[in-house]
Amino acid sequence: MSQVLVMGSVALDTIETPHGKQADILGGSATHAALSAGRLAPVRMVGVVGGDFPKEHLDMLRAQRVDPSGLEVVPGGLTFRWHGRYVGDLGSAETVSVQLNVLGSFQPKVPAPFASTPYVLLGNSSPDAQKSVLGQLRGPRFVLLDTMNLWIETARAGLMELLPRVDGLALNHGEALQLAGARTVAEAIRKILGMGVKTLFVKRGEHGATLATRDFQFSVPTFPTERVVDTTGAGDSFAGGVLGSLARDGAEQPDLRRAAIYGVVMGSLAIEEFGTRRLQNVSADEVEARARSVRELIAG
Amino acid sequence: MSQVLVMGSVALDTIETPHGKQADILGGSATHAALSAGRLAPVRMVGVVGGDFPKEHLDMLRAQRVDPSGLEVVPGGLTFRWHGRYVGDLGSAETVSVQLNVLGSFQPKVPAPFASTPYVLLGNSSPDAQKSVLGQLRGPRFVLLDTMNLWIETARAGLMELLPRVDGLALNHGEALQLAGARTVAEAIRKILGMGVKTLFVKRGEHGATLATRDFQFSVPTFPTERVVDTTGAGDSFAGGVLGSLARDGAEQPDLRRAAIYGVVMGSLAIEEFGTRRLQNVSADEVEARARSVRELIAG
């Protein structure tokens, strides 16, 4: 079993949804992705937190097969905080407030023992931070880059420069249209593959996901959960599921389809509780049962 | 090969999209559905038009394996007209104007030789008109009902009464949420099956479609066309593709999956030109090639 390296943000989130409000709970792109990948393979995490970051979170991560020793702790600093509010179908959040804190000056350092990790997620964070981590890796087998609308708008050049240098890109539906300047997913896929992206995962929320390479496309529905409590981290959990599956089951081209299935499975789990709770508590059997259910949804 | 009966509206549409404007072109739910089903099986049409309805349209329908002899012609009346405008990704139209004309007092009459047609589409039209046609059928094998947000809002009781009396219901994503009062498709499917619907097709636009019964669900992506010129009639073409496939290939439970594939195939074709043009010109080989492409998108 290979290891997964996950870099990205670590946050204390305040989240309001029609199901209630939770203050200062564990969040961030690296956290969701690491806990998701950790269901399938051992994970190493790179990120930054402040001196205020609760030690219990570090203990929990270790108990969940996530090695947090790549989390830099800035003693006098404060952890990144995000406050978001969801309405209706929880399709997207309105940001109430953001305090970048220690994330604002984050210069990621990959610990020497982590540098040769074969499977790497450059989780949702600034293209500069992602580029820095990419430059510190030694011979990775598969690097997946995740991003969001913010970086497509504000750091497009840096993002475009990274695309041909990684093995895969994960985007949601709206972000794919935005990055490509396209009206349909079909058009977006063609244009993004033309940007030098070798493997593209387009996340379609409750409509599933599409995996696209120059050689083939594969569309998968998601597990149709009705328990949609908090969609924060769904995309990060998808990316974590993809990396965890590649690390556990292989990363040749046919394995990419299986990885997409674990992506939607982990995304569908993540949204069933606030924050990372569901990812922490899900059993291996539940994950495998859900993967089987997704396969049955497309069985002829 | 069995026959398909299609009832619904026949219209002269004026349509504006980012690709241009077309005035008084052939449209209507029955027309799109009949031409779609006609690619797969012989079709009989029931509807109403005015004395202004161009004879060339009737000739075209006959040439396309659609028998229009169930179209009542009201000599002094005017054909139903709809003027719609699409913007952006053509996801939904803004209605500029509607003139019901002869459709306003439509009392559908199923010609005696049509009454025992085995496969029937109660196309998008008022639940009253659909109920009237249903009452005139003799021993149909599979009756599919299609509807829209207008009838869910304004004629819910009539619609609810029909649901347990037909074999299948086709709705788009938003309509499914609306009918069920649900936040997710998963919840909508459960609730709509609870209304006595035996077979449910949820159309997800460019994200494909889901077929649901009490025994199984099947999700299929659509053919990822980039030529999105006019989405009018996409849902009707989906329903026509379903019926055409059932009539041609069988209507046992495993055949429903194949029918869903022909639904998305015909929907993906319909949107590639204004009005019914693409449905009129597509070859049988193109239809089959597209069905194979859709199957490849979900092949493991």
Side-chain angles (χ1 to χ4, degrees):
Chain A
M1 172 108 49
S2 295
Q3 303 251 357
V4 176
L5 179 72
V6 172
M7 72 78 68
S9 62
V10 179
L12 296 173
D13 284 343
T14 296
I15 292 167
E16 299 174 56
T17 89
H19 295 268
K21 177 174 175 174
Q22 301 270 310
D24 288 328
I25 60 173
L26 180 61
S29 64
T31 313
H32 285 99
L35 287 166
S36 167
R39 303 283 61 73
L40 303 165
V43 178
R44 297 153 161 181
M45 219 171 149
V46 169
V48 64
V49 296
D52 60 337
F53 191 70
K55 182 178 168 303
E56 69 198 58
H57 293 333
L58 299 175
D59 295 338
M60 182 278 290
L61 288 166
R62 281 188 205 96
Q64 297 282 346
R65 219 167 30 164
V66 175
D67 178 348
S69 61
L71 285 189
E72 179 188 358
V73 182
V74 180
L78 291 172
T79 301
F80 169 50
R81 275 170 173 77
W82 178 73
H83 181 173
R85 186 182 291 139
Y86 295 87
V87 295
D89 67 355
L90 283 74
S92 59
E94 169 201 344
T95 293
V96 178
S97 66
V98 181
Q99 298 160 261
L100 281 181
N101 298 333
V102 296
L103 194 63
S105 54
F106 178 39
Q107 308 237 319
K109 290 176 250 339
V110 179
F114 287 10
S116 54
T117 312
Y119 297 93
V120 179
L121 175 62
L122 303 178
N124 184 15
S125 54
S126 77
D128 279 349
Q130 293 175 317
K131 181 180 172 183
S132 165
V133 167
L134 187 61
Q136 298 174 60
L137 302 176
R138 285 206 305 270
R141 277 188 229 152
F142 195 99
V143 179
L144 180 67
L145 185 135
D146 194 6
T147 190
M148 72 184 293
N149 50 4
L150 174 69
W151 309 117
I152 297 171
E153 280 160 30
T154 65
R156 176 179 281 265
L159 185 60
M160 294 294 286
E161 184 194 324
L162 284 174
L163 297 185
R165 294 182 56 198
V166 297
D167 299 284
L169 172 67
L171 287 173
N172 73 30
H173 173 228
E175 292 158 357
L177 299 183
Q178 182 190 14
L179 177 62
R183 281 194 172 140
T184 64
V185 175
E187 181 188 355
I189 286 173
R190 177 176 54 78
K191 289 184 170 171
I192 293 171
L193 292 177
M195 293 171 187
V197 170
K198 295 169 207 67
T199 304
L200 173 64
F201 296 91
V202 179
K203 301 168 280 182
R204 302 180 190 242
E206 70 170 333
H207 306 300
T210 293
L211 155 66
T213 73
R214 272 168 215 185
D215 298 326
F216 73 97
Q217 290 191 26
F218 176 62
S219 280
V220 63
T222 190
F223 180 87
T225 182
E226 291 189 32
R227 285 169 63 191
V228 184
V229 172
D230 172 15
T231 52
T232 310
D236 309 309
S237 302
F238 176 95
V242 166
L243 264 295
S245 171
L246 294 176
R248 189 187 70 176
D249 307 317
E252 300 303 313
Q253 208 168 68
D255 300 312
L256 292 171
R257 291 185 176 86
R258 185 196 301 118
I261 290 173
Y262 280 97
V264 295
V265 163
M266 298 313 298
S268 76
L269 285 163
I271 64 180
E272 294 186 335
E273 303 279 356
F274 275 100
T276 59
R277 198 174 305 156
R278 184 76 169 109
L279 294 176
Q280 292 170 230
N281 294 334
V282 67
S283 71
D285 284 352
E286 281 178 289
V287 170
E288 296 310 315
R290 206 163 271 210
R292 280 193 300 276
S293 294
V294 170
R295 286 198 181 93
E296 279 165 18
L297 284 172
I298 52 174
Chain B
M1 171 109 47
S2 295
Q3 302 252 356
V4 176
L5 179 72
V6 171
M7 73 78 68
S9 62
V10 179
L12 296 174
D13 285 343
T14 296
I15 292 166
E16 299 174 57
T17 89
H19 295 268
K21 178 175 176 175
Q22 301 269 309
D24 288 328
I25 60 172
L26 179 61
S29 65
T31 313
H32 284 99
L35 286 167
S36 166
R39 302 284 61 72
L40 303 164
V43 179
R44 296 152 161 181
M45 219 172 151
V46 168
V48 64
V49 295
D52 60 339
F53 190 70
K55 182 180 168 302
E56 69 198 56
H57 292 333
L58 299 175
D59 295 338
M60 182 278 290
L61 288 166
R62 280 188 205 97
Q64 298 283 345
R65 219 167 32 165
V66 176
D67 178 348
S69 61
L71 285 189
E72 180 189 356
V73 182
V74 181
L78 291 173
T79 301
F80 169 50
R81 276 171 173 74
W82 178 72
H83 180 171
R85 185 182 292 140
Y86 295 86
V87 294
D89 68 354
L90 284 74
S92 60
E94 170 201 342
T95 293
V96 179
S97 67
V98 181
Q99 298 160 261
L100 282 181
N101 299 332
V102 296
L103 194 65
S105 53
F106 178 40
Q107 307 238 320
K109 289 176 248 344
V110 179
F114 287 10
S116 55
T117 312
Y119 297 94
V120 179
L121 175 62
L122 303 177
N124 185 16
S125 53
S126 78
D128 279 350
Q130 292 175 318
K131 182 180 173 182
S132 165
V133 167
L134 187 61
Q136 297 174 61
L137 302 176
R138 285 204 307 268
R141 278 189 229 151
F142 195 99
V143 179
L144 179 67
L145 185 133
D146 194 6
T147 190
M148 72 184 292
N149 50 4
L150 174 69
W151 310 116
I152 297 172
E153 280 159 30
T154 64
R156 176 180 282 266
L159 185 60
M160 293 295 285
E161 185 195 324
L162 283 174
L163 297 185
R165 295 182 56 199
V166 296
D167 299 284
L169 172 66
L171 287 173
N172 73 30
H173 173 229
E175 291 157 359
L177 300 182
Q178 181 191 14
L179 177 63
R183 280 196 172 137
T184 64
V185 174
E187 181 188 355
I189 286 173
R190 176 176 55 79
K191 289 184 170 171
I192 292 171
L193 292 178
M195 294 171 185
V197 170
K198 295 169 206 68
T199 303
L200 173 64
F201 296 91
V202 179
K203 300 167 281 181
R204 301 181 191 241
E206 70 170 332
H207 305 300
T210 293
L211 156 67
T213 74
R214 272 169 215 185
D215 298 326
F216 73 98
Q217 289 190 27
F218 176 62
S219 280
V220 63
T222 190
F223 179 86
T225 183
E226 291 189 33
R227 284 169 63 190
V228 184
V229 172
D230 172 16
T231 53
T232 311
D236 310 308
S237 303
F238 176 95
V242 166
L243 264 295
S245 171
L246 294 176
R248 188 187 70 176
D249 307 318
E252 301 303 314
Q253 208 169 68
D255 300 313
L256 293 171
R257 290 184 176 86
R258 185 195 302 118
I261 290 173
Y262 281 97
V264 295
V265 163
M266 298 313 297
S268 76
L269 285 164
I271 64 180
E272 294 186 335
E273 303 278 355
F274 275 100
T276 59
R277 198 173 305 157
R278 184 78 168 107
L279 294 176
Q280 292 171 228
N281 294 335
V282 67
S283 71
D285 283 352
E286 281 179 290
V287 170
E288 296 311 314
R290 205 165 271 212
R292 280 194 301 276
S293 293
V294 169
R295 286 197 180 93
E296 278 165 19
L297 284 173
I298 53 173

